[in-house]
Amino acid sequence: AYANGDRNDKKEAFNLAKSCFQALLESKDMKPCPSCYTNFFLVIARLLKPGEVRDMLAEATYKEASADGGKIDRQVLKNFRNASPVIANKLLSDGEKLRARNTLRPMMQYTK
């Protein structure tokens, strides 16, 4: 998700992350946890240009997380909104939108 370099470097990093995530989803031995979805949304947000492909991938990833036994926590919601605000607004309930916006609020009390 934090690839530096030119467009080709970022494309290579994205393809590697996508392959790893896909292998995890297809694995019989391992299952993704919320952190996996959080990180993949971060990859989408940082390595893909805004547009139709990014929105479609974010939507598919969110639907997979929802279908995968509810692997959605506040950080997943936050990164989903960052990856594709339009799709997140379309798919998220009002309660989920509020949870995504308030993700950092509990942590802020410890930084004072």
Side-chain angles (χ1 to χ4, degrees), residues 9-72:
D9 292 334
K10 289 183 178 185
K11 183 177 181 180
E12 184 178 342
F14 172 77
N15 286 332
L16 177 62
K18 184 178 79 170
S19 294
C20 292
F21 188 69
Q22 189 65 39
L24 181 60
L25 291 176
E26 294 172 357
S27 174
K28 301 266 189 244
D29 301 321
M30 300 179 291
K31 295 295 176 200
C33 65
S35 293
C36 297
Y37 290 102
T38 295
N39 288 327
F40 195 63
F41 280 125
L42 189 60
V43 165
I44 293 169
R46 293 185 53 88
L47 299 178
L48 291 180
K49 292 185 273 185
E52 186 177 350
V53 171
R54 180 168 153 171
D55 289 343
M56 288 172 50
L57 187 56
E59 182 173 1
T61 302
Y62 176 77
K63 287 179 177 179
E64 179 67 34
S66 296
D68 189 21
K71 300 290 173 92
I72 298 174

